[in-house]
Amino acid sequence: PQRRALLDELRGGARSVGQLVDALGCSQPTASKHLRVLRTAGLVEVRKDAQRRIYALRPAPIAEIDARLAPYRRR
């Protein structure tokens, strides 16, 4: 649920870890752990902005997942 919530929050655009923590009401270590998993899966990307890390969705992998699920939606 936390990872889905992070992805939902990132649909609105790139966010810093602090913004994500505030939006989800979780701790910074918890958010960072889940963001690391999402980054490893290729669903989000990160860039550094001074000392902040800014996360954004990577739409291509999500589109691939959507395409793979399309035939099952018809059933």
Side-chain angles (χ1 to χ4, degrees):
Q2 286 285 339
R3 292 181 195 140
R4 284 191 301 268
L6 284 166
L7 291 173
D8 286 343
E9 188 64 31
L10 290 171
R11 282 188 313 170
R15 304 273 193 272
S16 69
V17 175
Q19 291 171 317
L20 293 168
V21 166
D22 290 344
L24 299 177
C26 64
S27 69
Q28 188 274 330
T30 297
S32 292
K33 178 184 80 168
H34 291 301
L35 287 165
R36 182 174 42 248
V37 172
L38 293 171
R39 191 177 68 234
T40 301
L43 298 175
V44 298
E45 60 189 9
V46 63
R47 68 178 167 83
K48 288 185 180 180
D49 179 30
Q51 294 183 355
R52 299 183 323 158
R53 290 191 182 347
I54 308 297
Y55 284 85
L57 283 179
R58 292 189 64 227
I62 294 171
E64 287 177 30
I65 293 168
D66 185 54
R68 288 183 188 173
L69 294 174
Y72 298 100
R73 284 192 197 99
R74 293 184 200 117
R75 292 182 170 234

